[in-house]
Amino acid sequence: DAGVIQSPRHEVTEMGQEVTLRCKPISGHDYLFWYRQTMMRGLELLIYFNNNVPIDDSGMPEDRFSAKMPNASFSTLKIQPSEPRDSAVYFCASNIPGLAGGRNEQFFGPGTRLTVL
Amino acid sequence: QQQVKQSPQSLIVQKGGIPIINCAYENTAFDYFPWYQQFPGKGPALLIAIRPDVSEKKEGRFTISFNKSAKQFSLHIMDSQPGDSATYFCAASSPGNKLVFGAGTILRVKS
């Protein structure tokens, strides 16, 4: 199994540019999560989907952030326009809750390191 | 505000020592308490998890101790090794599959 796939792994952009991060969850998983990790704020949940439908986007910081999941195997997180304070590592994770004896394990991708200059 | 408080921020132990990381929560609706391990440049990965109906769970060298009345839980790493050097996150969730993470503890095991 390839695990959760994220692209790009690194992104450097200039303030004001649009940034699109991509995620392919593990096949068969019906939940997908987007997290942001920074030294100051730790690991924050931005939004999550169930069966391609957004369930909770209360963690999305501003209207500049948007996320979509057009099908079960693909999701995007878009920042438009980007700002230096958006610099962080963005993780995508997926799971099937209740699998494997109720472990509710979330499987994380390798992350995208975003730098906004 | 759902929140999980984790301490210490960082920890250095000698090889073979027993690092202990502590977490506390307020929301009594939380019913699942996992610990995640993260190595530099990687995503977090589930290490061990517990539900509030038990007070302790062991998996290999890793043990979770859970105190429901105090709303606290902790991770113990027995016979710690340099390969255990990583960042450890506690987390909690209520029914709904949404995790709230602690701030993380950077562990260094000196050889």
Side-chain angles (χ1 to χ4, degrees), chain B residues 34-55:
Chain B
W35 286 88
Y36 279 75
Q37 180 188 53
Q38 184 180 27
F39 293 105
K42 305 291 186 181
L46 180 65
L47 187 62
I48 186 173
I50 197 168
R51 292 197 181 269
D53 52 345
V54 297
S55 60

Side-chain angles (χ1 to χ4, degrees), chain B residues 16-19 58 60-63 75-81 84:
Chain B
I18 306 175
K58 292 183 180 180
R61 297 183 294 108
F62 301 93
T63 299
L75 176 70
H76 302 231
I77 305 175
M78 307 300 290
D79 187 27
S80 59
Q81 300 297 312
D84 296 329

Side-chain angles (χ1 to χ4, degrees), chain A:
Chain A
D1 197 335
V4 175
I5 299 172
Q6 291 188 247
S7 65
R9 293 294 313 275
H10 302 272
E11 177 81 29
V12 179
T13 190
E14 293 189 347
M15 182 175 61
Q17 296 297 306
E18 178 180 295
V19 175
T20 299
L21 311 181
R22 297 172 175 79
C23 174
K24 177 179 170 56
I26 293 173
S27 177
H29 284 190
D30 55 1
Y31 277 81
L32 183 140
F33 306 83
W34 282 101
Y35 291 90
R36 178 172 68 176
Q37 185 174 36
T38 61
M39 289 296 293
M40 290 297 295
R41 300 177 66 89
L43 198 57
E44 303 174 276
L45 177 65
L46 300 177
I47 184 172
Y48 74 98
F49 296 82
N50 177 218
N51 292 322
N52 313 336
V53 177
I55 301 301
D56 185 344
D57 65 354
S58 60
M60 296 286 263
E62 299 172 34
D63 291 345
R64 298 184 296 106
F65 286 70
S66 62
K68 295 182 179 180
M69 192 164 186
N71 57 62
S73 59
F74 183 66
S75 177
T76 59
L77 178 68
K78 185 178 293 187
I79 308 172
Q80 167 63 19
S82 59
E83 297 183 3
R85 59 194 169 119
D86 301 331
S87 297
V89 180
Y90 291 81
F91 288 103
C92 176
S94 69
N95 80 346
I96 304 178
L99 199 64
R103 281 166 59 91
N104 286 6
E105 178 175 1
Q106 291 188 15
F107 295 82
F108 283 75
T112 295
R113 181 172 296 277
L114 173 65
T115 302
V116 183
L117 303 175

Side-chain angles (χ1 to χ4, degrees), chain B:
Chain B
Q1 176 87 20
Q2 295 184 350
Q3 192 173 10
V4 177
K5 295 183 179 179
Q6 182 172 346
S7 63
Q9 285 186 312
S10 62
L11 190 54
I12 301 175
V13 299
Q14 290 292 137
K15 178 182 175 182
I18 306 175
I20 301 173
I21 304 171
N22 300 298
C23 286
Y25 64 96
E26 290 296 326
N27 187 347
T28 55
F30 287 150
D31 66 350
Y32 175 69
F33 302 89
W35 286 88
Y36 279 75
Q37 180 188 53
Q38 184 180 27
F39 293 105
K42 305 291 186 181
L46 180 65
L47 187 62
I48 186 173
I50 197 168
R51 292 197 181 269
D53 52 345
V54 297
S55 60
E56 185 176 275
K57 183 173 182 180
K58 292 183 180 180
E59 288 187 2
R61 297 183 294 108
F62 301 93
T63 299
I64 299 178
S65 297
F66 188 84
N67 186 329
K68 187 174 181 179
S69 60
K71 291 186 284 187
Q72 296 176 347
F73 59 110
S74 59
L75 176 70
H76 302 231
I77 305 175
M78 307 300 290
D79 187 27
S80 59
Q81 300 297 312
D84 296 329
S85 297
T87 301
Y88 292 81
F89 294 93
C90 62
S93 75
S94 50
N97 203 23
K98 177 179 174 179
L99 283 176
V100 177
F101 284 88
T105 296
I106 300 172
L107 172 66
R108 179 184 168 201
V109 180
K110 298 172 68 174
S111 56

